[in-house]
Short mmCIF file of all heavy atoms in Angstrom, two decimals:
data_model
loop_
_atom_site.label_atom_id
_atom_site.label_comp_id
_atom_site.label_asym_id
_atom_site.label_seq_id
_atom_site.Cartn_x
_atom_site.Cartn_y
_atom_site.Cartn_z
N VAL F 1 39.18 9.03 -53.68
CA VAL F 1 39.77 9.07 -55.02
C VAL F 1 41.07 9.85 -54.93
O VAL F 1 41.09 10.98 -54.44
CB VAL F 1 38.80 9.73 -56.02
CG1 VAL F 1 39.44 9.79 -57.41
CG2 VAL F 1 37.48 8.98 -56.07
N MET F 2 42.14 9.25 -55.42
CA MET F 2 43.45 9.88 -55.30
C MET F 2 43.53 11.15 -56.14
O MET F 2 42.95 11.23 -57.23
CB MET F 2 44.55 8.91 -55.72
CG MET F 2 44.72 7.72 -54.79
SD MET F 2 45.98 6.56 -55.37
CE MET F 2 47.45 7.59 -55.28
N GLU F 3 44.22 12.15 -55.61
CA GLU F 3 44.46 13.37 -56.38
C GLU F 3 45.14 12.99 -57.70
O GLU F 3 46.13 12.26 -57.72
CB GLU F 3 45.33 14.34 -55.59
CG GLU F 3 44.69 14.89 -54.32
CD GLU F 3 43.67 15.97 -54.63
OE1 GLU F 3 43.42 16.26 -55.82
OE2 GLU F 3 43.10 16.52 -53.66
N GLN F 4 44.60 13.51 -58.81
CA GLN F 4 45.09 13.09 -60.12
C GLN F 4 46.56 13.42 -60.32
O GLN F 4 47.29 12.72 -61.02
CB GLN F 4 44.23 13.73 -61.22
CG GLN F 4 44.45 13.12 -62.60
CD GLN F 4 44.12 11.64 -62.63
OE1 GLN F 4 43.15 11.21 -62.01
NE2 GLN F 4 44.92 10.86 -63.35
N GLU F 5 47.02 14.48 -59.67
CA GLU F 5 48.43 14.86 -59.81
C GLU F 5 49.35 13.74 -59.31
O GLU F 5 50.40 13.48 -59.88
CB GLU F 5 48.69 16.15 -59.02
CG GLU F 5 50.10 16.68 -59.16
CD GLU F 5 50.30 17.97 -58.39
OE1 GLU F 5 49.29 18.64 -58.09
OE2 GLU F 5 51.46 18.31 -58.10
N LEU F 6 48.94 13.06 -58.23
CA LEU F 6 49.72 11.93 -57.71
C LEU F 6 49.72 10.77 -58.68
O LEU F 6 50.75 10.13 -58.91
CB LEU F 6 49.16 11.48 -56.35
CG LEU F 6 49.35 12.42 -55.17
CD1 LEU F 6 48.62 11.87 -53.96
CD2 LEU F 6 50.83 12.59 -54.87
N VAL F 7 48.57 10.50 -59.24
CA VAL F 7 48.46 9.39 -60.20
C VAL F 7 49.31 9.70 -61.43
O VAL F 7 50.05 8.84 -61.93
CB VAL F 7 46.99 9.16 -60.60
CG1 VAL F 7 46.88 8.00 -61.60
CG2 VAL F 7 46.14 8.87 -59.37
N ASN F 8 49.26 10.94 -61.90
CA ASN F 8 50.05 11.32 -63.07
C ASN F 8 51.55 11.20 -62.80
O ASN F 8 52.32 10.79 -63.67
CB ASN F 8 49.72 12.77 -63.48
CG ASN F 8 48.31 12.91 -64.01
OD1 ASN F 8 47.66 11.92 -64.35
ND2 ASN F 8 47.81 14.15 -64.06
N SER F 9 51.95 11.56 -61.56
CA SER F 9 53.38 11.52 -61.23
C SER F 9 53.91 10.09 -61.23
O SER F 9 55.12 9.87 -61.32
CB SER F 9 53.62 12.17 -59.86
OG SER F 9 53.06 11.37 -58.82
N ALA F 10 53.00 9.12 -61.13
CA ALA F 10 53.40 7.71 -61.18
C ALA F 10 53.38 7.19 -62.61
O ALA F 10 53.61 5.99 -62.84
CB ALA F 10 52.49 6.87 -60.30
N GLY F 11 53.09 8.05 -63.58
CA GLY F 11 53.10 7.65 -64.98
C GLY F 11 51.81 7.01 -65.44
O GLY F 11 51.75 6.40 -66.50
N ALA F 12 50.75 7.12 -64.63
CA ALA F 12 49.47 6.49 -64.99
C ALA F 12 48.46 7.58 -65.37
O ALA F 12 47.42 7.74 -64.74
CB ALA F 12 48.95 5.65 -63.82
N HIS F 13 48.77 8.34 -66.42
CA HIS F 13 48.00 9.52 -66.77
C HIS F 13 46.56 9.20 -67.14
O HIS F 13 45.67 10.03 -66.98
CB HIS F 13 48.68 10.27 -67.93
CG HIS F 13 50.07 10.74 -67.59
ND1 HIS F 13 50.30 11.93 -66.94
CD2 HIS F 13 51.29 10.16 -67.77
CE1 HIS F 13 51.61 12.08 -66.75
NE2 HIS F 13 52.23 11.00 -67.25
N ASN F 14 46.33 8.01 -67.68
CA ASN F 14 44.98 7.66 -68.12
C ASN F 14 44.24 6.79 -67.09
O ASN F 14 43.28 6.11 -67.42
CB ASN F 14 45.02 6.93 -69.46
CG ASN F 14 45.84 5.65 -69.39
OD1 ASN F 14 46.65 5.48 -68.47
ND2 ASN F 14 45.63 4.75 -70.33
N LYS F 15 44.72 6.83 -65.85
CA LYS F 15 44.12 6.00 -64.81
C LYS F 15 43.55 6.87 -63.70
O LYS F 15 43.89 8.04 -63.55
CB LYS F 15 45.16 5.05 -64.19
CG LYS F 15 45.85 4.12 -65.19
CD LYS F 15 44.91 3.06 -65.69
CE LYS F 15 45.63 2.08 -66.61
NZ LYS F 15 44.72 1.04 -67.14
N ILE F 16 42.66 6.28 -62.91
CA ILE F 16 42.14 6.91 -61.70
C ILE F 16 42.55 6.05 -60.52
O ILE F 16 42.44 4.82 -60.56
CB ILE F 16 40.60 7.04 -61.77
CG1 ILE F 16 40.19 8.00 -62.90
CG2 ILE F 16 40.03 7.52 -60.43
CD1 ILE F 16 38.70 8.09 -63.10
N GLY F 17 43.03 6.69 -59.47
CA GLY F 17 43.49 5.94 -58.30
C GLY F 17 42.48 5.95 -57.16
O GLY F 17 41.76 6.94 -56.97
N TRP F 18 42.43 4.85 -56.41
CA TRP F 18 41.54 4.72 -55.26
C TRP F 18 42.39 4.28 -54.08
O TRP F 18 43.11 3.29 -54.15
CB TRP F 18 40.47 3.70 -55.58
CG TRP F 18 39.55 3.35 -54.43
CD1 TRP F 18 39.58 2.23 -53.66
CD2 TRP F 18 38.46 4.12 -53.94
NE1 TRP F 18 38.58 2.26 -52.72
CE2 TRP F 18 37.87 3.42 -52.87
CE3 TRP F 18 37.92 5.37 -54.31
CZ2 TRP F 18 36.79 3.90 -52.15
CZ3 TRP F 18 36.83 5.84 -53.60
CH2 TRP F 18 36.27 5.12 -52.53
N ALA F 19 42.35 5.04 -52.99
CA ALA F 19 43.16 4.74 -51.81
C ALA F 19 42.25 4.38 -50.64
O ALA F 19 41.16 4.94 -50.50
CB ALA F 19 44.03 5.94 -51.44
N PHE F 20 42.70 3.43 -49.84
CA PHE F 20 41.91 3.08 -48.66
C PHE F 20 42.82 2.46 -47.59
O PHE F 20 43.90 1.95 -47.90
CB PHE F 20 40.78 2.10 -49.00
CG PHE F 20 41.25 0.78 -49.54
CD1 PHE F 20 41.46 -0.31 -48.69
CD2 PHE F 20 41.50 0.60 -50.89
CE1 PHE F 20 41.89 -1.53 -49.18
CE2 PHE F 20 41.93 -0.61 -51.39
CZ PHE F 20 42.13 -1.68 -50.53
N GLY F 21 42.41 2.56 -46.36
CA GLY F 21 43.16 1.96 -45.26
C GLY F 21 42.22 1.31 -44.26
O GLY F 21 41.27 1.93 -43.77
N LEU F 22 42.48 0.03 -43.97
CA LEU F 22 41.57 -0.74 -43.12
C LEU F 22 41.88 -0.64 -41.63
O LEU F 22 40.99 -0.77 -40.80
CB LEU F 22 41.61 -2.22 -43.52
CG LEU F 22 40.88 -2.60 -44.80
CD1 LEU F 22 41.20 -4.02 -45.19
CD2 LEU F 22 39.37 -2.45 -44.60
N GLY F 23 43.16 -0.46 -41.26
CA GLY F 23 43.50 -0.50 -39.85
C GLY F 23 43.29 -1.89 -39.26
O GLY F 23 42.46 -2.09 -38.38
N LEU F 24 44.04 -2.87 -39.77
CA LEU F 24 43.80 -4.27 -39.41
C LEU F 24 43.96 -4.53 -37.92
O LEU F 24 43.20 -5.32 -37.33
CB LEU F 24 44.74 -5.18 -40.21
CG LEU F 24 44.48 -5.24 -41.71
CD1 LEU F 24 45.50 -6.12 -42.40
CD2 LEU F 24 43.08 -5.74 -41.99
N GLU F 25 44.96 -3.89 -37.28
CA GLU F 25 45.14 -4.12 -35.85
C GLU F 25 43.91 -3.67 -35.07
O GLU F 25 43.45 -4.35 -34.16
CB GLU F 25 46.39 -3.38 -35.34
CG GLU F 25 47.70 -3.91 -35.88
CD GLU F 25 48.15 -3.13 -37.09
OE1 GLU F 25 47.31 -2.43 -37.71
OE2 GLU F 25 49.34 -3.23 -37.43
N ARG F 26 43.38 -2.52 -35.46
CA ARG F 26 42.22 -1.99 -34.75
C ARG F 26 41.00 -2.89 -34.93
O ARG F 26 40.25 -3.15 -33.98
CB ARG F 26 41.92 -0.58 -35.29
CG ARG F 26 40.97 0.20 -34.42
CD ARG F 26 41.29 1.69 -34.55
NE ARG F 26 40.13 2.48 -34.17
CZ ARG F 26 39.24 2.93 -35.05
NH1 ARG F 26 39.38 2.68 -36.31
NH2 ARG F 26 38.22 3.65 -34.63
N LEU F 27 40.81 -3.40 -36.15
CA LEU F 27 39.71 -4.33 -36.39
C LEU F 27 39.87 -5.60 -35.56
O LEU F 27 38.91 -6.12 -34.99
CB LEU F 27 39.62 -4.69 -37.87
CG LEU F 27 39.04 -3.64 -38.81
CD1 LEU F 27 39.09 -4.12 -40.25
CD2 LEU F 27 37.61 -3.31 -38.42
N SER F 28 41.12 -6.10 -35.50
CA SER F 28 41.38 -7.31 -34.72
C SER F 28 41.11 -7.08 -33.24
O SER F 28 40.58 -7.97 -32.55
CB SER F 28 42.83 -7.77 -34.92
OG SER F 28 43.07 -8.08 -36.27
N MET F 29 41.49 -5.91 -32.74
CA MET F 29 41.24 -5.60 -31.33
C MET F 29 39.74 -5.62 -31.04
O MET F 29 39.32 -6.08 -29.97
CB MET F 29 41.83 -4.24 -30.98
CG MET F 29 43.36 -4.20 -31.00
SD MET F 29 44.02 -2.55 -30.66
CE MET F 29 43.69 -2.43 -28.89
N ILE F 30 38.95 -5.14 -31.98
CA ILE F 30 37.50 -5.12 -31.80
C ILE F 30 36.93 -6.54 -31.85
O ILE F 30 36.15 -6.95 -30.99
CB ILE F 30 36.85 -4.25 -32.88
CG1 ILE F 30 37.28 -2.79 -32.73
CG2 ILE F 30 35.33 -4.37 -32.85
CD1 ILE F 30 36.98 -1.94 -33.94
N LEU F 31 37.33 -7.28 -32.87
CA LEU F 31 36.76 -8.61 -33.09
C LEU F 31 37.10 -9.59 -31.97
O LEU F 31 36.29 -10.44 -31.60
CB LEU F 31 37.26 -9.18 -34.43
CG LEU F 31 36.66 -8.52 -35.68
CD1 LEU F 31 37.42 -8.96 -36.92
CD2 LEU F 31 35.19 -8.88 -35.81
N TYR F 32 38.32 -9.48 -31.41
CA TYR F 32 38.78 -10.46 -30.43
C TYR F 32 38.89 -9.90 -29.01
O TYR F 32 39.38 -10.57 -28.11
CB TYR F 32 40.14 -11.02 -30.86
CG TYR F 32 40.13 -11.64 -32.23
CD1 TYR F 32 40.95 -11.16 -33.24
CD2 TYR F 32 39.28 -12.70 -32.53
CE1 TYR F 32 40.94 -11.71 -34.51
CE2 TYR F 32 39.26 -13.26 -33.80
CZ TYR F 32 40.09 -12.76 -34.78
OH TYR F 32 40.07 -13.33 -36.03
N ASN F 33 38.43 -8.65 -28.81
CA ASN F 33 38.51 -8.02 -27.49
C ASN F 33 39.94 -7.98 -26.96
O ASN F 33 40.19 -8.27 -25.78
CB ASN F 33 37.60 -8.74 -26.49
CG ASN F 33 36.13 -8.53 -26.81
OD1 ASN F 33 35.73 -7.44 -27.18
ND2 ASN F 33 35.35 -9.58 -26.68
N ILE F 34 40.88 -7.64 -27.81
CA ILE F 34 42.28 -7.52 -27.42
C ILE F 34 42.48 -6.12 -26.82
O ILE F 34 42.22 -5.12 -27.49
CB ILE F 34 43.21 -7.74 -28.61
CG1 ILE F 34 43.05 -9.17 -29.13
CG2 ILE F 34 44.66 -7.47 -28.25
CD1 ILE F 34 43.75 -9.45 -30.45
N PRO F 35 42.91 -6.02 -25.57
CA PRO F 35 42.90 -4.73 -24.89
C PRO F 35 44.07 -3.80 -25.19
O PRO F 35 43.98 -2.60 -24.94
CB PRO F 35 42.93 -5.14 -23.41
CG PRO F 35 43.69 -6.43 -23.41
CD PRO F 35 43.31 -7.13 -24.69
#
């Protein structure tokens, strides 16, 4: 959950932010055995 101060600084005072990162290259390396 994003720190509310960051969300407020973007002008979304009545919102809650959710941040995530998948690391697509890393997932692809795993799925396809890319060395």
Side-chain angles (χ1 to χ4, degrees):
V1 179
M2 292 178 64
E3 294 284 2
Q4 193 60 39
E5 184 179 340
L6 290 175
V7 180
N8 292 344
S9 69
H13 299 275
N14 59 341
K15 303 289 184 181
I16 295 175
W18 174 257
F20 62 93
L22 285 170
L24 292 177
E25 293 95 342
R26 194 150 158 266
L27 284 177
S28 298
M29 292 177 73
I30 295 165
L31 288 169
Y32 303 120
N33 291 320
I34 296 171

